[in-house]
Amino acid sequence: MNILLIEINPFASTTTPISLGYIAAYLKLNGFGVKILTVGEDMSLSCAGFHELINSFKPAMVGLTAYQRTMLYVKGFARLIKSIDNNIKIIIGGPQATFMPSSAFAKLTDIDYICRSSGEVTVLSVAQAVKNRAPFSDLLGVSYKSTNGDVFDTQELEGFSDLDQYPSAYLNDVFDYSRMREAIMLTSRGCPHHCIYCYTPEAFKHRITFHSIDRVMDEIRWIRKKGVRRLWFADPNISFKPERLIELLDRILSENLELEMWMQTRADLVTKELMKKMKQAGVKTIAFGLESASEQVLTRLGKHLAIEKVVQAIKMAQQQEIEVELFTIFGLPFETFDDAVKTLEFVKKNNVKIMGNTNSQQMQIYFGTHLAGHYKDYNIRPLNTDRPAYISIGSQYETEYIKTSELHEIKNMWRAHSLDGGKRIVS
Amino acid sequence: MIKTAIHKIYVILGKEDKGDLEQLSRTLSGLFSYMNMTSNLYLVAGNLPESMPQVERIRKDVIKFLRENLFARLYLHFVHAIPQTTVKGIDYYFQYYYQYLKRETREFDQEGYVYQEVPRFMLLPVIVPDNRLEPALLITLLDTLKGAFMLPCLYLDRSVFFLAQDKDLLARAEKVYYGDDDSRDPAEIACNMFNGDLLDDSLAMLTSEDRFIPGPCQASLIISAQDGKVYTCMDAFRKNESLTDIYKSNSVDALMTLYYEHGRSKRDCLGCRARIPESFADLPISQGRKQRIGALLCHFGTLCHDAGNDIQAVEKYEQSLKLSSVQEAGHINFRLGLGYTNIGRFDQAVKAFNKAKLTYQSQYYFHFYKGRCYFEMGDYQAALSEFSQALHLKPQQDDLVRILIYAGSCHNSLEEYEKAVVVLEKAGKAAGHVKEIYNALGFSYFQLKNYDKSIKNLLMAVEIDPCSAVDYASLGANYREKGDFDKAIVMYEKALTLDPDMILASENLERLKKRI
């Protein structure tokens, strides 16, 4: 049985779809034929071309990654797939799907399942059910629709706490290396913190799980052999265990792998020694989450990070000539216009180039975040109460302290200072 | 492998004919399924009021397709002249044409709002202003269009290049296209717009990659609504090499089969890309943009050089120099020098290298290349001076040997045979078995009358290259001077076997045979 996995982002260049890669590797090792289709702005794909793909690959199931901004496209692809072959089962997963209200699922007529738990194990269980022609039996970690359209939510499913139990997307060759300019690494998953605007801690139940360094090194060696030397570490906090990162960097150095790396972590999880080691091993850019440079805002975000720590981390990186990126957000709870300006001033004052990921963006209220469930407690007023149930508040809100016009003004101020027109890489 | 999707369709509109419009509409509706998820449709009209029925019909077709296909995005650019020059005339245009076209697309603005994304359907008017139109009036129009969620672009032909000086005006345009003449013919406008986009595409690649090798342009179709001809790219359109005629053949699938089978396979895409930047050299674009175009021309020069076409490479470098910044001039002059060297214009090469001196004088290879030019021009003293500077700058091993061989050859040409031997023996120690070293040493020792050493070196040379007639002839000369005429005859005969036209060998052989 064949399964097609699709990642859509028509607004950015195609990147390595690492999460789909893990699922593909897991399905492949369990006997399924898998293909990944990434639809980025640099991908050439027409309706006729997609028809051709479906007719030649003949998937029995298609998985689509859903983000807030791609929901329309997810719906469009689902409709097209069903119009080609109504028997193909469609499952959606990803950030928008995990916590999407079940009531919204009923409105997504062409979608059969929502993956709510660990992607690899959940998608495999659905694939096996579809293969066995018993599409609703023994399912865990999903929402599904019965033949008459009733929505059922099944019990949650636990993923592996030892990430090495998931087969590697790289070592199992699920990606096309000929077009890969940068490999995305995920050496750990999850985040133990409680930032109220973030989806990750909730999705991973405030836990963090790891791959062994041996496994990470096996992947890096393989990627390097395939001719790719740029690595993007998508771990939310790569230095959560500093000694683990040092071991990884030491091994990269000892094997003389000549890598160019991008990493992100919390500003209070770095030291001078660690920065020095990062530089030696080939870390070109490090990104820290600042969110707001206003003390009165930052202290109320559940981030538990002192601005002074961010200043120190920036200096440490700059001393090592590592490029710094700062993730910032405007439109945060309790943030006034002046607070938002303070953040822009902070970035400028600390000589962080306003480009790429340092381009600020308005806070997005996504399903699953603390704010999505408690926005009223923060005096956040959604602007569009008429939106479909599968779309979250996103950026359509005002707060008690900042109006839409002011949010626009802040956005324009950032854009005016941007060196690259304001396009952020990570959303 | 999924077949390439069409990214752009240019429709050159003609006068209204109901039957033709019906066929055009059917063809475009069919082609939408072959278009990329995000694609652009350009409707190029001479006159908007005349083309309005076509624009309106096509807009309706687009809307229908987008309603049925939620994953598709399409930007509709309608290109037209504005003959109006008064406030009243402009207002009329806005009310009766723009507003009217916009009306039915509002559902996509609403959809974009709900899904918090850029609308899937956008109207982008491309205005071709009249030279009597006041800039202030044009600014008002652009502001009004933006206010109505239509992002306006400008197309400036030569008669309105003065508008390019108006920064306020340019700041309001999403994009400015240029025509390099004052033609307002829709076909000419379409070509110039295409060229502008292709240039931008090449410039973007230049920014993102150090050594990009450009492929074909974005997959496009050009449809002339005037005669129904379809072309696979602007190059084919300019050369009138059409793929099919939509007014004669009804099938879109057949059109696309032709497109995939024959369409783009035989076109000189690199040549097309490389030709375009030149035409932008004298347009009223910013200095920064000119400099980037200069860098692009230099890059194309390097690609021509890599492909072995140094004549074209030199042309590109010369054009590049006219546009590039002073800071880049050194690099371009160096490449130009290499290009001139490869086509044998050594005096011009030296001049170009001299202009690159400040940038490259600390590089050994700069002196080596310059020295080679002097060598080829017969100025051996100047060549030696350059080779000596190159040797002081610690060249890489392979290059060290080449420099020493050239230096030895210079000494030989200057009849400084002892100096030549010193340099060439050094080359031999550094390189081991290299035919040119043995050959040159054979010559030096011969001139120094050290025939045994000459013979020893020449024998090494023919061991490496048993087909070297000249080395056999030199061996013949050595044996002759030593009085070993039999061996000399054998060597000359061997030389003539390999090269029967070698006059020196045949004369010597004749003389020796007579002597015996």
Side-chain angles (χ1 to χ4, degrees):
Chain A
M1 179 180 128
N2 287 341
I3 298 165
L4 177 66
L5 301 174
I6 307 177
E7 171 117 341
I8 314 158
N9 188 355
F11 317 102
S13 298
T14 309
T15 53
T16 312
I18 186 64
S19 301
L20 287 189
Y22 271 102
I23 297 172
Y26 198 59
L27 292 169
K28 200 174 156 185
L29 289 189
N30 281 283
F32 291 93
V34 193
K35 207 183 260 287
I36 298 178
L37 176 69
T38 42
V39 187
E41 67 178 357
D42 50 353
M43 168 77 184
S44 188
L45 181 71
S46 67
C47 193
F50 190 72
H51 259 266
E52 203 180 301
L53 173 70
I54 295 289
N55 288 331
S56 59
F57 186 59
K58 297 192 189 317
M61 186 167 100
V62 176
L64 292 141
T65 310
Y67 301 93
Q68 163 106 342
R69 64 192 318 219
T70 61
M71 270 315 291
L72 189 59
Y73 301 89
V74 167
K75 278 180 67 186
F77 270 103
R79 189 186 293 178
L80 178 61
I81 293 160
K82 290 285 187 185
S83 74
I84 300 169
D85 182 350
N86 198 34
N87 293 318
I88 297 173
K89 295 291 176 195
I90 297 178
I91 179 167
I92 63 166
Q96 190 73 0
T98 310
F99 296 107
M100 185 184 281
S102 296
S103 59
F105 187 24
K107 307 275 178 204
L108 297 167
T109 47
D110 295 311
I111 290 158
D112 301 296
Y113 304 94
I114 297 183
C115 171
R116 305 283 199 181
S117 297
S118 158
E120 294 89 339
V121 189
T122 310
V123 176
L124 176 66
S125 77
V126 177
Q128 281 165 338
V130 171
K131 190 182 175 186
N132 296 333
R133 297 179 190 279
F136 310 127
S137 69
D138 301 330
L139 292 179
L140 288 175
V142 296
S143 295
Y144 70 88
K145 271 182 237 157
S146 65
T147 37
N148 58 8
D150 294 334
V151 172
F152 294 91
D153 298 319
T154 65
Q155 205 184 327
E156 219 170 301
L157 188 152
E158 279 293 312
F160 299 127
S161 54
D162 170 14
L163 294 187
D164 286 358
Q165 288 188 259
Y166 294 120
S168 163
Y170 292 106
L171 300 173
N172 288 285
D173 273 343
V174 297
F175 297 130
D176 172 11
Y177 290 92
S178 66
R179 296 181 64 197
M180 191 185 287
R181 296 180 61 199
E182 180 173 70
I184 297 190
M185 307 294 298
L186 200 54
T187 82
S188 63
R189 296 183 191 181
C191 176
H193 297 281
H194 292 80
C195 304
I196 57 173
Y197 51 84
C198 189
Y199 154 91
T200 305
E202 302 292 332
F204 292 88
K205 299 193 169 44
H206 305 278
R207 282 198 310 248
I208 180 163
T209 49
F210 299 92
H211 274 298
S212 68
I213 296 300
D214 283 341
R215 161 70 177 267
V216 178
M217 285 306 296
D218 285 346
E219 289 189 342
I220 293 177
R221 269 186 232 108
W222 186 247
I223 291 164
R224 196 67 192 88
K225 206 173 159 184
K226 293 284 183 182
V228 180
R229 58 189 295 255
R230 282 168 56 185
L231 302 182
W232 177 293
F233 287 83
D235 307 46
N237 298 306
I238 187 81
S239 59
F240 183 76
K241 288 183 179 175
E243 67 287 358
R244 178 178 174 272
L245 179 58
I246 285 177
E247 188 192 341
L248 175 64
L249 297 171
D250 275 336
R251 288 180 62 176
I252 288 170
L253 274 168
S254 69
E255 295 188 29
N256 198 20
L257 289 167
E258 294 182 343
L259 300 168
E260 274 184 26
M261 293 177 279
W262 182 97
M263 291 179 174
Q264 62 181 339
T265 194
R266 275 176 67 98
D268 56 1
L269 288 175
V270 290
T271 60
K272 269 186 188 175
E273 291 66 35
L274 183 60
M275 287 287 188
K276 206 171 166 185
K277 185 74 75 184
M278 282 181 166
K279 175 70 182 175
Q280 285 169 350
V283 175
K284 299 284 175 203
T285 308
I286 184 149
F288 301 116
L290 165 66
E291 321 317 342
S292 170
S294 163
E295 203 77 52
Q296 74 94 9
V297 177
L298 189 59
T299 49
R300 291 147 108 167
L301 298 180
K303 194 170 175 82
H304 304 296
L305 180 70
I307 292 170
E308 197 45 43
K309 282 280 179 194
V310 183
V311 176
Q312 286 166 10
I314 294 169
K315 276 191 188 144
M316 281 188 258
Q318 288 172 340
Q319 274 164 7
Q320 295 299 326
E321 294 178 342
I322 295 176
E323 195 71 46
V324 175
E325 291 184 339
L326 280 183
F327 288 116
T328 58
I329 306 172
F330 54 86
L332 288 157
F334 311 109
E335 186 183 62
T336 62
F337 182 79
D338 290 343
D339 288 322
V341 173
K342 222 183 249 183
T343 307
L344 173 60
E345 292 305 322
F346 176 92
V347 175
K348 281 160 58 185
K349 190 181 157 195
N350 284 279
N351 299 316
V352 178
K353 283 184 201 156
I354 301 178
M355 58 189 293
N357 292 312
T358 305
N359 290 312
S360 193
Q361 67 174 13
Q362 190 187 331
M363 179 177 74
Q364 303 275 333
I365 302 175
Y366 291 133
F367 293 136
T369 60
H370 172 81
L371 276 182
H374 302 86
Y375 64 89
K376 285 180 189 160
D377 301 346
Y378 295 86
N379 293 325
I380 289 170
R381 290 188 299 273
L383 295 173
N384 181 12
T385 47
D386 230 8
R387 61 184 187 279
Y390 46 82
I391 294 288
S392 62
I393 297 170
S395 58
Q396 285 174 336
Y397 65 88
E398 283 184 336
T399 72
E400 190 183 354
Y401 303 94
I402 201 157
K403 286 187 241 153
T404 304
S405 57
E406 290 172 316
L407 289 169
H408 282 301
E409 202 177 332
I410 282 291
K411 187 179 175 183
N412 290 336
M413 282 171 77
W414 275 97
R415 190 165 288 174
H417 285 88
S418 173
L419 299 172
D420 63 359
K423 199 166 184 183
R424 192 155 157 174
I425 302 163
V426 172
S427 178
Chain B
M1 185 78 178
I2 305 171
K3 280 182 186 151
T4 311
I6 304 285
H7 286 247
K8 294 175 175 185
I9 294 182
Y10 292 79
V11 183
I12 295 154
L13 299 173
K15 283 191 178 161
E16 188 194 357
D17 174 300
K18 252 187 171 173
D20 287 352
L21 179 54
E22 205 50 48
Q23 185 53 36
L24 176 66
S25 161
R26 259 201 302 274
T27 305
L28 281 174
S29 299
L31 284 173
F32 292 151
S33 292
Y34 290 91
M35 289 188 82
N36 195 40
M37 264 182 67
T38 301
S39 48
N40 291 274
L41 177 60
Y42 298 82
L43 304 180
V44 190
N47 174 322
L48 191 55
E50 262 182 25
S51 302
M52 199 56 185
Q54 295 164 311
V55 175
E56 208 186 327
R57 174 63 182 268
I58 294 167
R59 181 205 55 178
K60 275 187 181 160
D61 294 335
V62 171
I63 289 174
K64 184 169 178 275
F65 175 76
L66 292 178
R67 279 181 188 149
E68 288 166 3
N69 296 281
L70 297 178
F71 52 83
R73 308 166 65 79
L74 198 138
Y75 302 133
L76 180 68
H77 311 251
F78 56 107
V79 189
H80 56 284
I82 292 206
Q84 305 298 327
T85 54
T86 62
V87 176
K88 202 177 163 193
I90 293 288
D91 190 48
Y92 169 83
Y93 243 69
F94 183 75
Q95 297 295 335
Y96 286 88
Y97 297 114
Y98 299 124
Q99 284 281 52
Y100 179 73
L101 286 171
K102 180 69 190 170
R103 207 170 299 148
E104 271 193 59
T105 70
R106 297 211 190 279
E107 68 181 88
F108 294 97
D109 294 342
Q110 179 60 24
E111 179 193 83
Y113 174 71
V114 169
Y115 285 88
Q116 302 179 30
E117 254 317 323
V118 177
R120 291 189 300 126
F121 183 42
M122 286 179 77
L123 283 172
L124 296 114
V126 182
I127 294 165
V128 186
D130 192 283
N131 60 7
R132 292 164 300 161
L133 184 60
E134 285 293 321
L137 210 50
L138 197 50
I139 287 175
T140 309
L141 175 61
L142 299 193
D143 282 343
T144 316
L145 286 169
K146 274 196 167 179
F149 295 107
M150 283 184 273
L151 304 179
C153 303
L154 284 173
Y155 176 92
L156 305 180
D157 62 26
R158 254 181 213 284
S159 71
V160 289
F161 274 1
F162 64 91
L163 291 174
Q165 310 305 323
D166 192 325
K167 285 184 182 163
D168 283 345
L169 176 66
L170 296 199
R172 286 166 164 85
E174 277 300 298
K175 182 162 182 165
V176 181
Y177 295 98
Y178 292 95
D180 58 2
D181 52 24
D182 54 7
S183 167
R184 294 186 158 224
D185 173 32
E188 203 56 42
I189 291 174
C191 282
N192 288 328
M193 287 179 66
F194 183 92
N195 289 350
D197 286 339
L198 187 56
L199 176 69
D200 286 344
D201 188 46
S202 298
L203 288 171
M205 284 187 205
L206 187 70
T207 316
S208 63
E209 288 176 51
D210 293 340
R211 277 188 72 81
F212 79 98
I213 299 176
C217 53
Q218 277 195 322
S220 312
L221 277 178
I222 294 97
I223 301 173
S224 169
Q226 293 161 3
D227 58 10
K229 296 267 173 62
V230 181
Y231 305 84
T232 54
C233 67
M234 259 326 153
D235 187 48
F237 179 63
R238 276 203 187 278
K239 292 174 179 161
N240 199 21
E241 295 165 356
S242 69
L243 191 66
T244 185
D245 182 338
I246 56 165
Y247 298 151
K248 286 181 185 159
S249 161
N250 283 326
S251 164
V252 170
D253 289 340
L255 188 164
M256 289 310 295
T257 305
L258 271 177
Y259 177 84
Y260 288 125
E261 279 176 6
H262 308 290
R264 293 151 60 87
S265 54
K266 288 178 188 164
R267 307 223 69 90
D268 174 21
C269 297
L270 177 59
C272 191
R273 268 192 198 265
R275 266 194 307 277
I276 284 169
E278 298 159 25
S279 60
F280 282 76
D282 64 340
L283 296 180
I285 51 178
S286 70
Q287 199 56 30
R289 188 162 167 80
K290 281 195 179 175
Q291 288 174 357
R292 288 177 62 216
I293 294 173
L296 185 64
L297 282 163
C298 180
H299 181 74
F300 282 124
T302 309
L303 293 179
C304 291
H305 165 80
D306 292 347
N309 189 343
D310 281 295
I311 294 177
Q312 267 194 19
V314 162
E315 279 173 20
K316 298 287 171 215
Y317 293 139
E318 285 173 341
Q319 288 157 354
S320 167
L321 266 178
K322 288 180 198 159
L323 299 172
S324 299
S325 64
V326 181
Q327 291 91 323
E328 291 302 316
H331 298 293
I332 302 163
N333 270 309
F334 178 69
R335 288 182 169 88
L336 184 59
L338 291 179
Y340 281 137
T341 306
N342 291 342
I343 57 174
R345 284 154 63 175
F346 301 111
D347 53 340
Q348 282 174 289
V350 169
K351 280 182 195 160
F353 283 137
N354 284 340
K355 287 178 190 162
K357 191 175 174 182
L358 269 179
T359 319
Y360 281 90
Q361 61 187 345
S362 60
Q363 305 297 329
Y364 75 85
Y365 51 82
F366 168 74
H367 297 285
F368 169 64
Y369 288 127
K370 203 172 152 195
R372 260 187 64 195
C373 291
Y374 283 126
F375 178 85
E376 298 293 346
M377 288 159 69
D379 188 345
Y380 302 112
Q381 286 294 5
L384 271 174
S385 160
E386 293 297 332
F387 292 140
S388 155
Q389 288 183 69
L391 291 168
H392 275 107
L393 291 167
K394 296 186 178 149
Q396 288 174 10
Q397 183 69 8
D398 287 358
D399 292 335
L400 170 74
V401 174
R402 288 174 71 198
I403 297 165
L404 288 170
I405 294 171
Y406 268 102
S409 300
C410 283
H411 284 304
N412 275 340
S413 298
L414 290 166
E415 300 179 6
E416 296 168 354
Y417 304 115
E418 283 173 356
K419 285 184 182 172
V421 163
V422 172
V423 172
L424 292 166
E425 290 287 8
K426 204 171 160 187
K429 273 184 196 157
H433 259 30
V434 175
K435 183 200 146 187
E436 285 74 16
I437 300 173
Y438 296 124
N439 168 288
L441 273 171
F443 179 78
S444 309
Y445 281 122
F446 178 78
Q447 296 297 342
L448 290 168
K449 301 191 190 313
N450 189 341
Y451 302 118
D452 288 336
K453 280 201 172 173
S454 177
I455 288 168
K456 191 180 156 196
N457 278 290
L458 290 167
L459 285 172
M460 295 299 282
V462 295
E463 189 185 304
I464 297 167
D465 180 9
C467 296
S468 175
V470 72
D471 287 317
Y472 281 111
S474 298
L475 279 164
N478 273 289
Y479 287 123
R480 184 194 65 210
E481 292 305 310
K482 281 184 73 173
D484 190 344
F485 297 148
D486 290 340
K487 271 194 180 167
I489 285 170
V490 171
M491 292 301 154
Y492 280 128
E493 281 175 345
K494 182 94 182 168
L496 283 168
T497 314
L498 293 165
D499 182 1
D501 298 329
M502 191 183 258
I503 295 165
L504 189 76
S506 58
E507 285 175 355
N508 271 299
L509 183 60
E510 209 174 307
R511 248 180 266 141
L512 277 173
K513 280 183 177 169
K514 276 183 191 166
R515 207 162 158 180
I516 289 168

